PDB file of all heavy atoms in Angstrom:
ATOM      1  N   ILE A  14      28.478 143.539 253.915  1.00 93.00           N
ATOM      2  CA  ILE A  14      27.300 143.074 254.654  1.00 93.00           C
ATOM      3  C   ILE A  14      27.108 143.982 255.855  1.00 93.00           C
ATOM      4  O   ILE A  14      28.017 144.177 256.653  1.00 93.00           O
ATOM      5  CB  ILE A  14      27.471 141.602 255.083  1.00 93.00           C
ATOM      6  CG1 ILE A  14      27.561 140.722 253.835  1.00 93.00           C
ATOM      7  CG2 ILE A  14      26.335 141.167 255.993  1.00 93.00           C
ATOM      8  CD1 ILE A  14      27.916 139.286 254.116  1.00 93.00           C
ATOM      9  N   ARG A  15      25.910 144.561 255.975  1.00 95.00           N
ATOM     10  CA  ARG A  15      25.605 145.464 257.089  1.00 95.00           C
ATOM     11  C   ARG A  15      25.094 144.713 258.302  1.00 95.00           C
ATOM     12  O   ARG A  15      25.486 144.993 259.420  1.00 95.00           O
ATOM     13  CB  ARG A  15      24.598 146.519 256.648  1.00 95.00           C
ATOM     14  CG  ARG A  15      25.132 147.430 255.569  1.00 95.00           C
ATOM     15  CD  ARG A  15      24.095 148.433 255.102  1.00 95.00           C
ATOM     16  NE  ARG A  15      23.406 149.087 256.174  1.00 95.00           N
ATOM     17  CZ  ARG A  15      23.690 150.303 256.646  1.00 95.00           C
ATOM     18  NH1 ARG A  15      24.664 150.983 256.099  1.00 95.00           N
ATOM     19  NH2 ARG A  15      22.998 150.827 257.620  1.00 95.00           N
ATOM     20  N   SER A  16      24.162 143.766 258.085  1.00 95.00           N
ATOM     21  CA  SER A  16      23.615 142.993 259.196  1.00 95.00           C
ATOM     22  C   SER A  16      23.141 141.660 258.663  1.00 95.00           C
ATOM     23  O   SER A  16      22.861 141.517 257.473  1.00 95.00           O
ATOM     24  CB  SER A  16      22.455 143.736 259.862  1.00 95.00           C
ATOM     25  OG  SER A  16      21.368 143.854 258.966  1.00 95.00           O
ATOM     26  N   ARG A  17      23.060 140.673 259.587  1.00 95.00           N
ATOM     27  CA  ARG A  17      22.629 139.345 259.157  1.00 95.00           C
ATOM     28  C   ARG A  17      22.093 138.562 260.344  1.00 95.00           C
ATOM     29  O   ARG A  17      22.653 138.601 261.422  1.00 95.00           O
ATOM     30  CB  ARG A  17      23.805 138.590 258.546  1.00 95.00           C
ATOM     31  CG  ARG A  17      23.411 137.226 258.008  1.00 95.00           C
ATOM     32  CD  ARG A  17      24.631 136.472 257.520  1.00 95.00           C
ATOM     33  NE  ARG A  17      24.298 135.281 256.786  1.00 95.00           N
ATOM     34  CZ  ARG A  17      23.948 134.125 257.330  1.00 95.00           C
ATOM     35  NH1 ARG A  17      23.873 134.012 258.630  1.00 95.00           N
ATOM     36  NH2 ARG A  17      23.671 133.086 256.584  1.00 95.00           N
ATOM     37  N   THR A  18      20.968 137.865 260.111  1.00 95.00           N
ATOM     38  CA  THR A  18      20.444 136.900 261.074  1.00 95.00           C
ATOM     39  C   THR A  18      20.327 135.570 260.329  1.00 95.00           C
ATOM     40  O   THR A  18      20.761 135.457 259.191  1.00 95.00           O
ATOM     41  CB  THR A  18      19.068 137.334 261.619  1.00 95.00           C
ATOM     42  OG1 THR A  18      18.114 137.272 260.558  1.00 95.00           O
ATOM     43  CG2 THR A  18      19.109 138.725 262.219  1.00 95.00           C
ATOM     44  N   ASP A  19      19.698 134.588 260.958  1.00 94.00           N
ATOM     45  CA  ASP A  19      19.515 133.292 260.302  1.00 94.00           C
ATOM     46  C   ASP A  19      18.500 133.345 259.160  1.00 94.00           C
ATOM     47  O   ASP A  19      18.500 132.471 258.291  1.00 94.00           O
ATOM     48  CB  ASP A  19      19.067 132.232 261.311  1.00 94.00           C
ATOM     49  CG  ASP A  19      20.176 131.844 262.268  1.00 94.00           C
ATOM     50  OD1 ASP A  19      21.359 132.082 261.931  1.00 94.00           O
ATOM     51  OD2 ASP A  19      19.871 131.289 263.332  1.00 94.00           O
ATOM     52  N   THR A  20      17.627 134.356 259.161  1.00 95.00           N
ATOM     53  CA  THR A  20      16.563 134.409 258.163  1.00 95.00           C
ATOM     54  C   THR A  20      16.573 135.650 257.268  1.00 95.00           C
ATOM     55  O   THR A  20      15.817 135.708 256.311  1.00 95.00           O
ATOM     56  CB  THR A  20      15.187 134.340 258.844  1.00 95.00           C
ATOM     57  OG1 THR A  20      15.080 135.429 259.768  1.00 95.00           O
ATOM     58  CG2 THR A  20      15.000 133.013 259.558  1.00 95.00           C
ATOM     59  N   GLU A  21      17.407 136.631 257.549  1.00 96.00           N
ATOM     60  CA  GLU A  21      17.460 137.834 256.721  1.00 96.00           C
ATOM     61  C   GLU A  21      18.759 138.579 256.938  1.00 96.00           C
ATOM     62  O   GLU A  21      19.483 138.324 257.895  1.00 96.00           O
ATOM     63  CB  GLU A  21      16.276 138.759 256.978  1.00 96.00           C
ATOM     64  CG  GLU A  21      16.237 139.340 258.372  1.00 96.00           C
ATOM     65  CD  GLU A  21      15.022 140.219 258.578  1.00 96.00           C
ATOM     66  OE1 GLU A  21      13.921 139.829 258.159  1.00 96.00           O
ATOM     67  OE2 GLU A  21      15.200 141.305 259.147  1.00 96.00           O
ATOM     68  N   GLY A  22      19.031 139.481 256.045  1.00 96.00           N
ATOM     69  CA  GLY A  22      20.224 140.295 256.172  1.00 96.00           C
ATOM     70  C   GLY A  22      20.139 141.485 255.244  1.00 96.00           C
ATOM     71  O   GLY A  22      19.292 141.551 254.352  1.00 96.00           O
ATOM     72  N   THR A  23      21.036 142.440 255.470  1.00 97.00           N
ATOM     73  CA  THR A  23      21.108 143.639 254.654  1.00 97.00           C
ATOM     74  C   THR A  23      22.546 143.809 254.187  1.00 97.00           C
ATOM     75  O   THR A  23      23.477 143.598 254.955  1.00 97.00           O
ATOM     76  CB  THR A  23      20.685 144.882 255.457  1.00 97.00           C
ATOM     77  OG1 THR A  23      19.383 144.651 256.006  1.00 97.00           O
ATOM     78  CG2 THR A  23      20.644 146.119 254.590  1.00 97.00           C
ATOM     79  N   CYS A  24      22.684 144.183 252.925  1.00 96.00           N
ATOM     80  CA  CYS A  24      24.029 144.437 252.420  1.00 96.00           C
ATOM     81  C   CYS A  24      24.018 145.707 251.580  1.00 96.00           C
ATOM     82  O   CYS A  24      22.969 146.194 251.173  1.00 96.00           O
ATOM     83  CB  CYS A  24      24.552 143.242 251.621  1.00 96.00           C
ATOM     84  SG  CYS A  24      23.711 142.970 250.049  1.00 96.00           S
ATOM     85  N   THR A  25      25.215 146.219 251.331  1.00 96.00           N
ATOM     86  CA  THR A  25      25.380 147.418 250.531  1.00 96.00           C
ATOM     87  C   THR A  25      25.993 147.024 249.192  1.00 96.00           C
ATOM     88  O   THR A  25      27.017 146.343 249.155  1.00 96.00           O
ATOM     89  CB  THR A  25      26.299 148.428 251.244  1.00 96.00           C
ATOM     90  OG1 THR A  25      25.759 148.688 252.542  1.00 96.00           O
ATOM     91  CG2 THR A  25      26.412 149.716 250.473  1.00 96.00           C
ATOM     92  N   THR A  26      25.348 147.447 248.117  1.00 94.00           N
ATOM     93  CA  THR A  26      25.864 147.133 246.786  1.00 94.00           C
ATOM     94  C   THR A  26      27.049 148.044 246.464  1.00 94.00           C
ATOM     95  O   THR A  26      27.311 149.019 247.174  1.00 94.00           O
ATOM     96  CB  THR A  26      24.775 147.305 245.718  1.00 94.00           C
ATOM     97  OG1 THR A  26      24.373 148.671 245.696  1.00 94.00           O
ATOM     98  CG2 THR A  26      23.587 146.409 245.981  1.00 94.00           C
ATOM     99  N   LYS A  27      27.725 147.742 245.388  1.00 92.00           N
ATOM    100  CA  LYS A  27      28.873 148.544 244.971  1.00 92.00           C
ATOM    101  C   LYS A  27      28.477 149.966 244.629  1.00 92.00           C
ATOM    102  O   LYS A  27      29.285 150.882 244.743  1.00 92.00           O
ATOM    103  CB  LYS A  27      29.561 147.873 243.788  1.00 92.00           C
ATOM    104  CG  LYS A  27      30.182 146.545 244.153  1.00 92.00           C
ATOM    105  CD  LYS A  27      30.678 145.801 242.939  1.00 92.00           C
ATOM    106  CE  LYS A  27      31.113 144.415 243.381  1.00 92.00           C
ATOM    107  NZ  LYS A  27      31.379 143.530 242.251  1.00 92.00           N
ATOM    108  N   SER A  28      27.198 150.159 244.248  1.00 93.00           N
ATOM    109  CA  SER A  28      26.722 151.510 243.933  1.00 93.00           C
ATOM    110  C   SER A  28      26.261 152.266 245.175  1.00 93.00           C
ATOM    111  O   SER A  28      25.855 153.425 245.074  1.00 93.00           O
ATOM    112  CB  SER A  28      25.580 151.441 242.918  1.00 93.00           C
ATOM    113  OG  SER A  28      24.480 150.746 243.466  1.00 93.00           O
ATOM    114  N   GLY A  29      26.282 151.611 246.347  1.00 93.00           N
ATOM    115  CA  GLY A  29      25.912 152.274 247.592  1.00 93.00           C
ATOM    116  C   GLY A  29      24.491 152.031 248.051  1.00 93.00           C
ATOM    117  O   GLY A  29      24.089 152.538 249.105  1.00 93.00           O
ATOM    118  N   ASN A  30      23.700 151.303 247.303  1.00 94.00           N
ATOM    119  CA  ASN A  30      22.322 151.000 247.707  1.00 94.00           C
ATOM    120  C   ASN A  30      22.307 149.885 248.736  1.00 94.00           C
ATOM    121  O   ASN A  30      23.093 148.942 248.650  1.00 94.00           O
ATOM    122  CB  ASN A  30      21.488 150.561 246.499  1.00 94.00           C
ATOM    123  CG  ASN A  30      21.326 151.659 245.486  1.00 94.00           C
ATOM    124  OD1 ASN A  30      21.246 152.831 245.844  1.00 94.00           O
ATOM    125  ND2 ASN A  30      21.286 151.301 244.219  1.00 94.00           N
ATOM    126  N   ASN A  31      21.402 149.988 249.704  1.00 95.00           N
ATOM    127  CA  ASN A  31      21.207 148.917 250.679  1.00 95.00           C
ATOM    128  C   ASN A  31      20.077 148.022 250.197  1.00 95.00           C
ATOM    129  O   ASN A  31      19.022 148.521 249.806  1.00 95.00           O
ATOM    130  CB  ASN A  31      20.859 149.486 252.054  1.00 95.00           C
ATOM    131  CG  ASN A  31      22.032 150.195 252.680  1.00 95.00           C
ATOM    132  OD1 ASN A  31      23.166 149.797 252.511  1.00 95.00           O
ATOM    133  ND2 ASN A  31      21.764 151.278 253.389  1.00 95.00           N
ATOM    134  N   ILE A  32      20.301 146.716 250.221  1.00 96.00           N
ATOM    135  CA  ILE A  32      19.251 145.776 249.838  1.00 96.00           C
ATOM    136  C   ILE A  32      19.052 144.762 250.951  1.00 96.00           C
ATOM    137  O   ILE A  32      19.985 144.424 251.680  1.00 96.00           O
ATOM    138  CB  ILE A  32      19.557 145.064 248.497  1.00 96.00           C
ATOM    139  CG1 ILE A  32      20.856 144.274 248.568  1.00 96.00           C
ATOM    140  CG2 ILE A  32      19.581 146.041 247.354  1.00 96.00           C
ATOM    141  CD1 ILE A  32      21.109 143.410 247.341  1.00 96.00           C
ATOM    142  N   LYS A  33      17.808 144.325 251.080  1.00 97.00           N
ATOM    143  CA  LYS A  33      17.451 143.338 252.095  1.00 97.00           C
ATOM    144  C   LYS A  33      17.319 141.972 251.424  1.00 97.00           C
ATOM    145  O   LYS A  33      16.665 141.839 250.383  1.00 97.00           O
ATOM    146  CB  LYS A  33      16.146 143.712 252.778  1.00 97.00           C
ATOM    147  CG  LYS A  33      15.763 142.794 253.907  1.00 97.00           C
ATOM    148  CD  LYS A  33      14.495 143.289 254.595  1.00 97.00           C
ATOM    149  CE  LYS A  33      14.092 142.351 255.719  1.00 97.00           C
ATOM    150  NZ  LYS A  33      12.841 142.791 256.335  1.00 97.00           N
ATOM    151  N   ILE A  34      17.946 140.970 252.027  1.00 96.00           N
ATOM    152  CA  ILE A  34      17.915 139.602 251.522  1.00 96.00           C
ATOM    153  C   ILE A  34      17.231 138.746 252.574  1.00 96.00           C
ATOM    154  O   ILE A  34      17.539 138.852 253.759  1.00 96.00           O
ATOM    155  CB  ILE A  34      19.352 139.100 251.247  1.00 96.00           C
ATOM    156  CG1 ILE A  34      20.019 139.980 250.184  1.00 96.00           C
ATOM    157  CG2 ILE A  34      19.345 137.647 250.816  1.00 96.00           C
ATOM    158  CD1 ILE A  34      21.493 139.708 250.012  1.00 96.00           C
ATOM    159  N   VAL A  35      16.279 137.912 252.139  1.00 96.00           N
ATOM    160  CA  VAL A  35      15.522 137.087 253.077  1.00 96.00           C
ATOM    161  C   VAL A  35      15.610 135.613 252.686  1.00 96.00           C
ATOM    162  O   VAL A  35      15.827 135.273 251.526  1.00 96.00           O
ATOM    163  CB  VAL A  35      14.042 137.524 253.146  1.00 96.00           C
ATOM    164  CG1 VAL A  35      13.915 138.929 253.686  1.00 96.00           C
ATOM    165  CG2 VAL A  35      13.374 137.415 251.790  1.00 96.00           C
ATOM    166  N   LYS A  36      15.415 134.754 253.684  1.00 94.00           N
ATOM    167  CA  LYS A  36      15.453 133.312 253.462  1.00 94.00           C
ATOM    168  C   LYS A  36      14.031 132.773 253.385  1.00 94.00           C
ATOM    169  O   LYS A  36      13.189 133.072 254.222  1.00 94.00           O
ATOM    170  CB  LYS A  36      16.203 132.637 254.618  1.00 94.00           C
ATOM    171  CG  LYS A  36      16.504 131.183 254.390  1.00 94.00           C
ATOM    172  CD  LYS A  36      17.367 130.648 255.535  1.00 94.00           C
ATOM    173  CE  LYS A  36      17.863 129.258 255.236  1.00 94.00           C
ATOM    174  NZ  LYS A  36      18.713 128.764 256.337  1.00 94.00           N
ATOM    175  N   LEU A  37      13.766 131.965 252.359  1.00 88.00           N
ATOM    176  CA  LEU A  37      12.462 131.334 252.168  1.00 88.00           C
ATOM    177  C   LEU A  37      12.711 129.918 251.674  1.00 88.00           C
ATOM    178  O   LEU A  37      13.385 129.728 250.661  1.00 88.00           O
ATOM    179  CB  LEU A  37      11.627 132.119 251.153  1.00 88.00           C
ATOM    180  CG  LEU A  37      10.293 131.494 250.765  1.00 88.00           C
ATOM    181  CD1 LEU A  37       9.329 131.555 251.945  1.00 88.00           C
ATOM    182  CD2 LEU A  37       9.705 132.209 249.561  1.00 88.00           C
ATOM    183  N   ASN A  38      12.186 128.942 252.393  1.00 84.00           N
ATOM    184  CA  ASN A  38      12.351 127.531 252.016  1.00 84.00           C
ATOM    185  C   ASN A  38      13.814 127.149 251.794  1.00 84.00           C
ATOM    186  O   ASN A  38      14.180 126.525 250.813  1.00 84.00           O
ATOM    187  CB  ASN A  38      11.534 127.200 250.764  1.00 84.00           C
ATOM    188  CG  ASN A  38      10.062 127.403 250.971  1.00 84.00           C
ATOM    189  OD1 ASN A  38       9.553 127.215 252.077  1.00 84.00           O
ATOM    190  ND2 ASN A  38       9.370 127.803 249.934  1.00 84.00           N
ATOM    191  N   ASN A  39      14.680 127.575 252.712  1.00 90.00           N
ATOM    192  CA  ASN A  39      16.119 127.277 252.679  1.00 90.00           C
ATOM    193  C   ASN A  39      16.847 127.864 251.482  1.00 90.00           C
ATOM    194  O   ASN A  39      17.905 127.391 251.107  1.00 90.00           O
ATOM    195  CB  ASN A  39      16.382 125.769 252.754  1.00 90.00           C
ATOM    196  CG  ASN A  39      16.443 125.290 254.180  1.00 90.00           C
ATOM    197  OD1 ASN A  39      16.608 126.081 255.102  1.00 90.00           O
ATOM    198  ND2 ASN A  39      16.289 124.008 254.356  1.00 90.00           N
ATOM    199  N   GLN A  40      16.289 128.891 250.854  1.00 91.00           N
ATOM    200  CA  GLN A  40      16.967 129.602 249.780  1.00 91.00           C
ATOM    201  C   GLN A  40      16.873 131.094 250.044  1.00 91.00           C
ATOM    202  O   GLN A  40      15.928 131.574 250.649  1.00 91.00           O
ATOM    203  CB  GLN A  40      16.353 129.269 248.422  1.00 91.00           C
ATOM    204  CG  GLN A  40      16.608 127.840 247.994  1.00 91.00           C
ATOM    205  CD  GLN A  40      16.188 127.600 246.564  1.00 91.00           C
ATOM    206  OE1 GLN A  40      15.209 128.163 246.078  1.00 91.00           O
ATOM    207  NE2 GLN A  40      16.941 126.761 245.869  1.00 91.00           N
ATOM    208  N   TRP A  41      17.872 131.837 249.577  1.00 94.00           N
ATOM    209  CA  TRP A  41      17.941 133.273 249.808  1.00 94.00           C
ATOM    210  C   TRP A  41      17.449 134.028 248.587  1.00 94.00           C
ATOM    211  O   TRP A  41      17.750 133.664 247.451  1.00 94.00           O
ATOM    212  CB  TRP A  41      19.376 133.664 250.137  1.00 94.00           C
ATOM    213  CG  TRP A  41      19.808 133.099 251.443  1.00 94.00           C
ATOM    214  CD1 TRP A  41      20.394 131.890 251.659  1.00 94.00           C
ATOM    215  CD2 TRP A  41      19.633 133.687 252.719  1.00 94.00           C
ATOM    216  NE1 TRP A  41      20.605 131.707 253.003  1.00 94.00           N
ATOM    217  CE2 TRP A  41      20.153 132.791 253.678  1.00 94.00           C
ATOM    218  CE3 TRP A  41      19.095 134.891 253.165  1.00 94.00           C
ATOM    219  CZ2 TRP A  41      20.144 133.069 255.036  1.00 94.00           C
ATOM    220  CZ3 TRP A  41      19.090 135.161 254.522  1.00 94.00           C
ATOM    221  CH2 TRP A  41      19.617 134.266 255.435  1.00 94.00           C
ATOM    222  N   TYR A  42      16.676 135.114 248.848  1.00 93.00           N
ATOM    223  CA  TYR A  42      16.089 135.928 247.788  1.00 93.00           C
ATOM    224  C   TYR A  42      16.150 137.397 248.167  1.00 93.00           C
ATOM    225  O   TYR A  42      16.198 137.750 249.345  1.00 93.00           O
ATOM    226  CB  TYR A  42      14.615 135.566 247.568  1.00 93.00           C
ATOM    227  CG  TYR A  42      14.379 134.161 247.111  1.00 93.00           C
ATOM    228  CD1 TYR A  42      14.080 133.159 248.036  1.00 93.00           C
ATOM    229  CD2 TYR A  42      14.446 133.821 245.773  1.00 93.00           C
ATOM    230  CE1 TYR A  42      13.854 131.854 247.623  1.00 93.00           C
ATOM    231  CE2 TYR A  42      14.225 132.521 245.349  1.00 93.00           C
ATOM    232  CZ  TYR A  42      13.929 131.546 246.281  1.00 93.00           C
ATOM    233  OH  TYR A  42      13.712 130.265 245.874  1.00 93.00           O
ATOM    234  N   LEU A  43      16.072 138.236 247.158  1.00 93.00           N
ATOM    235  CA  LEU A  43      15.915 139.665 247.381  1.00 93.00           C
ATOM    236  C   LEU A  43      14.517 139.895 247.926  1.00 93.00           C
ATOM    237  O   LEU A  43      13.535 139.384 247.377  1.00 93.00           O
ATOM    238  CB  LEU A  43      16.115 140.405 246.061  1.00 93.00           C
ATOM    239  CG  LEU A  43      16.052 141.914 246.092  1.00 93.00           C
ATOM    240  CD1 LEU A  43      17.196 142.470 246.931  1.00 93.00           C
ATOM    241  CD2 LEU A  43      16.126 142.459 244.681  1.00 93.00           C
ATOM    242  N   ASP A  44      14.410 140.642 249.020  1.00 93.00           N
ATOM    243  CA  ASP A  44      13.093 140.920 249.603  1.00 93.00           C
ATOM    244  C   ASP A  44      12.239 141.653 248.573  1.00 93.00           C
ATOM    245  O   ASP A  44      12.679 142.608 247.950  1.00 93.00           O
ATOM    246  CB  ASP A  44      13.252 141.774 250.864  1.00 93.00           C
ATOM    247  CG  ASP A  44      11.959 141.903 251.636  1.00 93.00           C
ATOM    248  OD1 ASP A  44      11.139 140.968 251.597  1.00 93.00           O
ATOM    249  OD2 ASP A  44      11.768 142.945 252.292  1.00 93.00           O
ATOM    250  N   GLY A  45      11.032 141.176 248.375  1.00 87.00           N
ATOM    251  CA  GLY A  45      10.145 141.760 247.386  1.00 87.00           C
ATOM    252  C   GLY A  45      10.243 141.067 246.031  1.00 87.00           C
ATOM    253  O   GLY A  45       9.483 141.377 245.129  1.00 87.00           O
TER     254      GLY A  45
END
């Protein structure tokens, strides 16, 4: 995990890609 707030965060996958995760209606999703 690279960064995290209460509503979003960024993590690094095993392949090295960074992905953004966001919270919507109390559930977490991949941004986009």
Side-chain angles (χ1 to χ4, degrees):
I14 296 172
R15 296 178 47 99
S16 66
R17 183 185 190 280
T18 67
D19 289 340
T20 58
E21 65 181 44
T23 305
C24 69
T25 305
T26 63
K27 294 172 187 169
S28 63
N30 295 326
N31 291 325
I32 60 172
K33 184 176 179 183
I34 299 171
V35 296
K36 190 175 189 179
L37 175 69
N38 298 328
N39 273 343
Q40 292 189 325
W41 293 89
Y42 297 95
L43 183 64
D44 189 31

